[in-house]
Structures are given as C-alpha cells and as structure tokens.
Amino acid sequence: MPQATVNNPCIDFTPSALAWGEEILFPNTRTFRQGSHRIFNRYPARSICLVPRAIIRELCQEHARGVSVLDPFMGSGTTAVEATMQGCTIYGVEIDPLARLITEVRLYRYNHELISELTECFHGIESKWLGTKQDESLAPQLQRIESWFTPAQYRDLLRLKTAIYSATAEDSPSRNFFRIVLADMVRPCSQAERQTLKPYISTKYIKQATPVAVAFAKSFAAHIAAVAECNEGTLVPSRSRVQWLGTDAAKFRKSTKPITVAITSPPYANALDYVRCIKIESAWVDCGSDPVFAELRRGQIGDPARARAAQDDVVEAAVGHLCRQIEIDDAPRARTVRGYFADMLNNLQCVHRTLGAGGRYHVIVGDGVIRKVSVPTHKIIASLGESVGFKWVHYYKYRIRDHRTSIPRQNQGGKIEYEHVVVLEK
C-alpha cells in the first residue's frame, strides 16, 4: 500500500485511520511529561505515551464493555498509566523489580489526604535526617557501591534512607513513594555521569555531585506534584493495580479472562544492558543486589543463557541467513540474535493464548544494524506472529526524536531512527 506522511507534529491521532506504512511526526517528547509519567522519568528506554494512548482511546470508544490491556514488557508502566486513565483493567509482565515498583507507584491513587500525609512526612524527615544515625543493615548490597560516591555523600544517603524507613511502614504506599524519591536522586548525588545511561565516572570532566539535602527536596517536589496532578486529572479516581501474570515475557501464565488488547515495546534485538544502567538506583531502594542483578541479566530477553539447545526451525527460517552473516565477525552476537527472536516467538505464543478472539497485539519496536548487518526486526516479528496464528493487519511508524537509549557503539550499530508499530490480530 502507498505510504503517507503527516507533515505537522501531532500528539493526537486515530490509529485505524492511518494508511499502511504511514509515518507519524511526533514532537520531541523529552519535555512531554504528564501526571504520573513524570515519576522516575529517567527509567531507560521508556516508550512514549502517545501511541498506547491513541490505541486505548480508540478501543474504549468502540467497546461499550470494559477493556483489558496487557503489556508483557511492562517496564516502568507507560502503557499501564494510559490504560488506567481510560478505566481499563491492567495486566502485566516484568522481570525488573525496580520497574515493577515504579509502575505500582505510578498507578496508585494518592488522594488529597495521603498527599497531605506525604508532605508532612517529608518535612519531618527533612528536619531530622541529618541527625539520624545510619543503619548499616540498609546499605546497598552491591560490591564497591561506595566507589560511586564521596564518603560524605554515601553517608548522607544512608542517613536519609534510614530516616525514610523509620518514618514509613514496610510495603506501605508512603514507603514506596519515598523509595522512588530516593531512587531518583541517587544519580545526581553520585559521581556517575548523568548524560549517559550506562553509569561511569568521567576522569576528564569532574562532576560536582548535588548535595543530598538539595536533591531530596527537588525529587520530592517533582514527585508530589506528579501524583497530585494525576489525582486531579485521572478519569478513574480509585486506585488501580496491575494484575501481574509473571516476570518472564517469554513464559507467563494465561489470564483467567480473555484480554482485549496487548500493547508493548519489547527490547531491541541488540539492546543495551538495562540491569547495568540502573543497578545503583535499584540497590539503594532494595530492588536488587549482586546475585539478583546476575539473575536478572541471565533472564533478559535474548540473553545467550536463555538460548535453546536445539534451534527452532521457525526462528532459523526467519533469521538464520542474517545470523550467518553476523557470525562472520561476531559469533556470540549471532547467538544473541537467535536467542532474542526465539524468545519473541515464545512471547507471541503467550500473548496469542491470552487474547480473546479478534484481540490485537500492538508491537512497537525498532529495527537495527548489528555488526553492519541490517536486521528488520518489525518484519521478522510480524512473520513469527503469523506462524503462531496471528494475522498482520496494520503497520505504521514514527521517527524517534528523543534518543533516550543513545549510547556509543563504535560505528557498529548507530542510533535506531524509527520505531515501527506492527498490529497483529488473533
């Protein structure tokens, strides 16, 4: 079908009205923050909210009865937030404990009373934390964690964490809210650079870390404003919770009821190491330790540790010729690519099983270049989807203007220029 291009930036569109292959022009989304999307805004590789918003809005207009939404790569909950604002039932799958925590906080309805309590709690902590003796049992369980901070900054962060935990109950909405406030201020208070996702300490440009007191006040102000805005603007004033179907996107349980629609943005085939990107923040808020991070890394989609002993014929037919080209320069990377698409095949099977008749799976993904070999990820996923019983019914794309995942690749892959939306129907 012919392609068409939207010439003016838009934040509102109707997916079904787009021509096959149409390119949407979105504004830069770096400063496009609304409500609880602003909570821990710097989670790596977040998808923009405009696509799931449009899909869910159109679907809710078509269905008189309730709509249920599944995101099998939930991440920090972009799709879940949009589903909540439309009054949908939410199902999710996510391996990262920090991402699950962010999602839970983003979806919780902090009413006026609780917002007042949080504000009062903040002032109490702010006035006392400097005089608090740090609880060493609350120290992050990460080797060489102290090397990322000056001794004073490390001591002050541990004091603040101790004060937060003393002032809030375990597993309470207040404790979880302040854990996110703390996670968001860890990087500014550290020696790690903020301009890249991968944490490292520059020896060329010496960073001036933000004082803990300043970072705490700034992070709290931003997050309390976000939950207050969400409380005022949401269509569903009662709190929403994700019904978690598991932690492995390639192997999760079927929901008890057929799900209306699935919307997700899976990792790229040559994705960055998400575990490494946020391990310092995760460790500080008790979402990970060295053993946990090792297990998470092995559990990531496409990790060689997950590769099948016997190669799947469907996957081999789809990507074998590409992998043989990649193998010439990088055999381990070729195994990763095979493993990635084997995992995506399993994911497609799981989603197909849990969708109701006529349900659609919207997959938002970027193509890539791996060892100078072009990998048309969106086409391969569509082909794998058809092999498990889906029909490829729609396709459009948009140029990425905010490269949140931009990292140096020594001219081996470069930036992902487009994200493609593949729509598969059961």
Side-chain angles (χ1 to χ4, degrees):
M1 295 184 182
Q3 292 189 5
T5 301
V6 176
N7 293 315
N8 296 314
C10 66
I11 61 172
D12 190 14
F13 68 101
T14 303
S16 65
L18 299 175
W20 184 282
E22 184 165 347
E23 179 181 341
I24 309 169
L25 181 61
F26 287 136
N28 190 301
T29 59
R30 184 171 291 276
T31 59
F32 187 75
R33 302 172 185 173
Q34 291 181 315
S36 60
H37 286 303
R38 292 155 54 191
I39 294 173
F40 202 83
N41 184 257
R42 57 175 301 276
Y43 189 83
R46 288 191 311 109
S47 59
I48 66 171
C49 62
L50 301 176
V51 175
R53 177 180 301 174
I55 295 168
I56 295 168
R57 182 188 61 236
E58 185 177 28
L59 195 62
C60 288
Q61 290 171 350
E62 294 174 357
H63 289 252
R65 302 178 65 180
V67 171
S68 52
V69 180
L70 164 67
D71 187 344
F73 294 92
M74 180 65 81
S76 58
T78 299
T79 294
V81 170
E82 294 300 326
T84 296
M85 294 176 69
Q86 296 293 334
C88 302
T89 303
I90 307 160
Y91 295 86
V93 180
E94 175 54 48
I95 190 174
D96 178 23
L98 178 59
R100 294 198 299 271
L101 174 63
I102 296 168
T103 297
E104 295 284 0
V105 172
R106 284 182 173 182
L107 295 190
Y108 196 88
R109 301 300 95 192
Y110 292 85
N111 58 29
H112 293 295
E113 181 180 359
L114 184 50
I115 289 172
S116 296
E117 291 177 6
L118 289 172
T119 303
E120 183 178 348
C121 185
F122 163 74
H123 289 305
I125 295 169
E126 187 181 40
S127 65
K128 297 177 180 177
W129 73 267
L130 268 174
T132 300
K133 181 180 179 181
Q134 62 263 33
D135 183 348
E136 295 297 336
S137 69
L138 296 178
Q141 301 301 301
L142 185 65
Q143 288 185 354
R144 301 182 66 250
I145 183 67
E146 296 92 341
S147 65
W148 294 98
F149 305 89
T150 66
Q153 292 287 83
Y154 179 85
R155 181 190 65 241
D156 283 352
L157 278 171
L158 190 52
R159 281 178 177 173
L160 178 60
K161 180 180 178 180
T162 302
I164 288 172
Y165 278 41
S166 296
T168 57
E170 185 176 1
D171 294 327
S172 67
S174 297
R175 168 76 62 83
N176 289 340
F177 175 84
F178 277 105
R179 287 169 71 195
I180 294 301
V181 169
L182 179 62
D184 191 59
M185 56 181 286
V186 165
R187 183 70 70 97
C189 292
S190 74
Q191 298 300 299
E193 289 296 319
R194 293 203 71 184
Q195 301 305 313
T196 62
L197 288 172
K198 290 184 177 181
Y200 80 98
I201 299 174
S202 174
T203 56
K204 183 176 182 181
Y205 302 102
I206 306 303
K207 176 185 173 184
Q208 293 296 318
T210 305
V212 169
V214 174
F216 183 44
K218 183 177 180 179
S219 181
F220 174 80
H223 285 86
I224 202 69
V227 298
E229 178 185 325
C230 192
N231 184 58
E232 293 290 340
T234 183
L235 300 179
V236 187
S238 61
R239 68 174 181 259
S240 300
R241 301 295 297 270
V242 178
Q243 298 185 45
W244 297 104
L245 300 181
T247 59
D248 188 340
K251 186 180 180 182
F252 57 89
R253 66 180 180 274
K254 182 180 178 180
S255 59
T256 56
K257 297 179 180 179
I259 292 174
T260 312
V261 65
I263 307 169
T264 202
S265 180
Y268 297 152
N270 195 24
L272 54 85
D273 186 347
Y274 300 111
V275 176
R276 179 184 176 190
C277 290
I278 55 173
K279 69 178 182 179
I280 302 175
E281 294 90 336
S282 296
W284 267 105
V285 297
D286 303 324
C287 285
S289 59
D290 284 312
V292 170
F293 296 141
E295 187 65 25
L296 288 175
R297 191 170 283 110
R298 289 191 294 268
Q300 290 184 115
I301 294 295
D303 189 274
R306 298 170 58 98
R308 300 178 180 181
Q311 187 60 51
D312 189 286
D313 291 340
V314 174
V315 174
E316 187 63 22
V319 301
H321 63 295
L322 298 173
C323 291
R324 286 189 287 275
Q325 295 177 55
I326 297 170
E327 279 175 343
I328 296 172
D329 292 325
D330 193 337
R333 188 72 64 181
R335 288 194 295 272
T336 297
V337 173
R338 280 193 173 95
Y340 171 84
F341 286 108
D343 281 334
M344 286 306 303
L345 177 63
N346 289 336
N347 169 261
L348 288 158
Q349 291 169 336
C350 288
V351 174
H352 188 274
R353 184 171 63 246
T354 202
L355 284 176
R360 291 188 170 187
Y361 188 12
H362 302 253
V363 185
I364 307 165
V365 69
D367 294 344
V369 178
I370 302 174
R371 295 298 182 260
K372 301 181 181 180
V373 178
S374 296
V375 180
T377 303
H378 80 280
K379 293 181 179 179
I380 297 170
I381 287 176
S383 173
L384 295 176
E386 290 176 326
S387 75
V388 303
F390 281 112
K391 180 180 179 182
W392 188 8
V393 296
H394 201 18
Y395 161 65
Y396 51 96
K397 63 183 179 181
Y398 57 90
R399 185 181 293 275
I400 303 172
R401 300 187 65 187
D402 176 11
H403 282 87
R404 294 178 180 272
T405 59
S406 178
I407 56 175
R409 293 187 185 274
Q410 291 77 47
N411 296 318
Q412 295 296 317
K415 293 181 178 179
I416 304 294
E417 294 297 335
Y418 283 92
E419 285 195 315
H420 306 264
V421 185
V422 172
V423 185
L424 305 171
E425 184 174 277
K426 180 173 177 178

